[in-house]
């Protein structure tokens, strides 16, 4: 899309497309998604070339390795994007689903039905795969996708959006079912967040700076996709070999994403045995910890943590370490320092597992599994629009159902209220 087109005009076009999508049958939407997947694969060279322009620009300004990883496309990531669209095509269509129905004494027949939100706006940083994921989920749920990516990924995002828009046209759908804002200025972002009457739901995907901007500027309804200060708690009864494997996966498999572990909490009963093993497993990971952890590992391996470290999403090879004397202390620490994203307990004690699940306040709680599984695709959603850390409308990975609302359909035979 040209950066010269007024944002209000683009928003109007998205609204028009949303009205069309609300009437489109499932087969047509699925055909468009599969066509988009095919075209992404066929356009591999073009997309990688656009991404290379972004990578070179990012390197020239000293972007960190972590953010470069989020920005980078590859053959496997493009295949993953195409696979995600095909998976979404294979999922049940939520639109039109009747959630409940009943008859009241007046004889009126009432049903609650799933319907699209309308125009779903997503503001996101760096990761160009979000362009594809958002477009696919929005289309299947009959929403127009109105996207604003970061300047660092603008060439990649525009190339992906162009391919998907072409696929929609081939399938007989309006290309404006996906609109990407080419103007990446802060002023444009602020205007984007204030399109009352056009944007039905705004979803930000990014760091604290983006969330702060949403809270300051947005006047449209929004769902916060917050940061992920995720904890791994190793309980007194934990299988320590299992705990080692889960910790390494959660911290190092992809440290730049929101479901990576940022904090290790260990029961004092196993801390002296477990922490040296974990430190050896986490070679290359910077550790910061409380006095108990430092006493066990020594200052050659771990540095004293500041209070802020325990509440920080590092998005890097860095981990905070806390030793606690009880399950209750672990739960208190997680609730005080966590961001409400994903928290895991490693334990062989079912009572402890249940207590952790019941008392930890987070969008997802895991027992004996890596936090990396908190992901729309891993949950069977095909892809995700984000992971909500708030409690209204949607919480946790947001798939198709979370991109719908409901309306009541009331059928009568001439009844009037007395």
């Amino acid at each position: 899309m040209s950066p010269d087109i007024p944002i209000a005009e683009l928003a109007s076009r998205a609204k028009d497309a949303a009205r069309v999508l609300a009437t489109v049958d499932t087969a047509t939407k699925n055909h468009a998604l599969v066509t988009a997947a095919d075209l992404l694969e066929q356009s591999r060279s073009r997309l990688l070339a656009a991404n290379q322009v972004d990578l070179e620009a990012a390197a020239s300004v000293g972007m960190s390795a972590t953010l470069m990883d989020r920005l980078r496309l590859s053959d496997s990531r493009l295949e993953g994007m195409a696979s995600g669209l095909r998976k979404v095509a294979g999922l049940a269509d939520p639109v039109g689903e009747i959630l409940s129905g009943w008859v009241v004494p007046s004889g009126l027949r009432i049903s609650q039905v799933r319907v699209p939100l309308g125009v779903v706006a997503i503001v996101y940083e760096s990761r160009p795969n979000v362009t594809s994921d958002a477009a696919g989920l929005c289309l299947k749920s009959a929403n127009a996708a109105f996207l604003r990516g970061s300047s660092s990924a603008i060439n990649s995002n525009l190339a992906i959006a162009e391919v998907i828009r072409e696929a929609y046209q081939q399938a007989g759908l309006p290309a404006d079912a996906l609109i990407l804002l080419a103007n990446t200025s802060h002023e444009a972002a602020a205007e984007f967040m204030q399109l009352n009457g056009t944007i039905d739901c705004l979803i930000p995907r990014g760091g604290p700076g983006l969330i702060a901007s949403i809270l300051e500027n947005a006047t449209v309804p929004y769902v916060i996709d917050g940061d992920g200060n995720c904890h791994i708690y190793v309980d007194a009864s934990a299988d320590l070999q299992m705990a080692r494997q889960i910790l390494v996966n959660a911290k190092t498999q992809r440290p730049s994403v929101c479901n990576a572990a940022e904090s290790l909490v260990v029961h004092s009963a196993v801390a002296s045995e477990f922490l040296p093993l974990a430190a050896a497993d986490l070679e290359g990971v910077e550790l910061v910890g409380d006095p108990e952890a430092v006493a066990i590992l020594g200052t050659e391996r771990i540095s004293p943590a500041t209070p802020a470290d325990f509440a920080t999403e590092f998005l890097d090879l860095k981990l905070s370490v806390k030793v606690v004397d009880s399950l209750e202390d672990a739960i208190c620490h997680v609730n005080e320092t966590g961001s409400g994203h994903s928290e895991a307990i490693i334990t062989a004690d079912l009572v402890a597992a249940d207590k952790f699940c019941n008392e930890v306040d987070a969008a997802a709680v895991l027992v004996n599994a890596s936090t990396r599984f908190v992901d729309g695709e891993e949950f069977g959603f095909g892809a995700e629009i984000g992971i909500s850390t708030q409690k209204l409308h949607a919480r946790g990975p947001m798939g198709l159902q979370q991109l719908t609302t409901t309306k009541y359909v009331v059928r009568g035979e001439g009844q009037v209220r007395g």
Side-chain angles (χ1 to χ4, degrees):
M1 312 296 296
S2 170
D4 298 326
I5 302 175
I7 296 174
E9 179 182 331
L10 294 174
S12 179
R13 286 164 54 177
K15 195 75 170 179
D16 290 342
R19 294 189 181 99
V20 174
L21 292 177
T23 67
V24 172
D25 61 81
T26 303
T28 301
K29 291 187 290 187
N30 290 344
H31 175 57
L33 290 168
V34 172
T35 301
D38 292 343
L39 284 185
L40 284 177
E41 291 176 337
Q42 294 166 18
S43 306
R44 186 185 312 265
S45 298
R46 167 181 160 196
L47 299 177
L48 292 177
N51 183 241
Q52 186 61 35
V53 174
D54 289 331
L55 289 171
E56 291 173 0
S60 71
V61 297
M63 179 180 282
S64 71
T66 298
L67 292 179
M68 289 281 282
D69 176 66
R70 294 167 76 97
L71 175 61
R72 181 173 289 106
L73 290 177
S74 62
D75 286 342
S76 63
R77 289 185 181 179
L78 286 173
E79 289 171 4
M81 290 161 57
S83 175
L85 290 174
R86 294 190 180 102
K87 287 179 181 177
V88 171
L91 295 174
D93 190 340
V95 178
E97 177 188 0
I98 298 175
L99 300 180
S100 59
W102 62 97
V103 179
V104 294
S106 64
L108 293 175
R109 290 167 288 135
I110 304 173
S111 57
Q112 185 183 22
V113 184
R114 282 197 189 279
V115 296
L117 291 169
V119 175
V120 174
I122 300 101
V123 183
Y124 54 108
E125 297 175 342
S126 295
R127 298 170 63 181
N129 64 291
V130 173
T131 306
S132 172
D133 291 348
L137 286 169
C138 284
L139 184 73
K140 186 62 179 273
S141 54
N143 296 294
F146 194 16
L147 311 183
R148 193 271 185 184
S150 62
S151 58
S152 62
I154 186 61
N155 294 287
S156 306
N157 290 337
L158 285 171
I160 293 167
E162 185 177 349
V163 170
I164 295 175
R165 283 169 57 87
E166 181 182 341
Y168 289 175
Q169 286 184 305
Q170 289 185 18
L173 295 180
D176 287 340
L178 167 60
I179 292 180
L180 177 78
L181 193 63
N183 185 341
T184 59
S185 69
H186 292 298
E187 294 78 13
E191 182 180 351
F192 183 81
M193 298 173 192
Q194 296 171 358
L195 290 168
N196 297 300
T198 304
I199 289 177
D200 294 289
C201 183
L202 172 63
I203 303 170
R205 295 191 61 172
L210 174 59
I211 301 306
S213 178
I214 294 291
L215 296 176
E216 179 181 356
N217 295 302
T219 59
V220 299
Y222 55 78
V223 175
I224 293 296
D225 178 356
D227 57 356
N229 182 30
C230 306
H231 296 71
I232 300 289
Y233 167 56
V234 181
D235 192 34
S237 68
D239 178 328
L240 298 188
Q241 182 59 33
M242 176 194 292
R244 292 169 66 182
Q245 294 173 347
I246 289 174
L247 175 62
V248 169
N249 177 262
K251 178 68 252 183
T252 69
Q253 196 253 352
R254 197 174 178 194
S256 64
V257 294
C258 63
N259 57 16
E262 304 289 17
S263 185
L264 170 64
V265 184
V266 185
H267 196 290
S268 57
V270 294
S272 296
E273 179 181 359
F274 180 74
L275 283 179
L277 298 173
D281 290 338
L282 295 172
E283 183 179 357
V285 176
E286 178 186 355
L287 302 179
V288 293
D290 64 1
E292 291 80 3
V294 172
I296 292 170
L297 293 177
T299 54
E300 299 82 7
R301 182 63 182 93
I302 187 171
S303 302
T306 67
D309 284 331
F310 292 110
T312 297
E313 181 187 33
F314 299 115
L315 296 175
D316 206 344
L317 290 174
K318 185 174 181 178
L319 185 74
S320 67
V321 183
K322 173 77 172 177
V323 177
V324 295
D325 291 326
S326 67
L327 171 63
E328 289 76 15
D329 288 345
I331 292 171
C332 181
H333 177 73
V334 168
N335 284 336
E336 286 182 353
T337 62
S339 58
H341 193 294
S342 304
E343 314 292 5
I345 180 173
I346 316 303
T347 186
D349 184 339
L350 292 179
V351 173
D354 287 345
K355 182 177 178 66
F356 189 87
C357 290
N358 290 336
E359 298 184 19
V360 164
D361 186 12
V365 184
L366 304 98
V367 177
N368 297 329
S370 170
T371 55
R372 288 285 289 117
F373 283 107
V374 182
D375 173 87
E377 184 170 357
E378 294 291 341
F379 275 27
F381 297 170
E384 69 184 23
I385 209 79
I387 298 178
S388 169
T389 55
Q390 67 181 46
K391 299 181 182 181
L392 296 180
H393 169 60
R395 196 180 191 196
M398 295 182 64
L400 294 175
Q401 291 188 353
Q402 291 74 29
L403 291 177
T404 64
T405 184
T406 65
K407 69 179 177 184
Y408 291 97
V409 177
V410 183
R411 299 183 187 277
E413 297 172 336
Q415 289 94 328
V416 295
R417 184 170 178 176

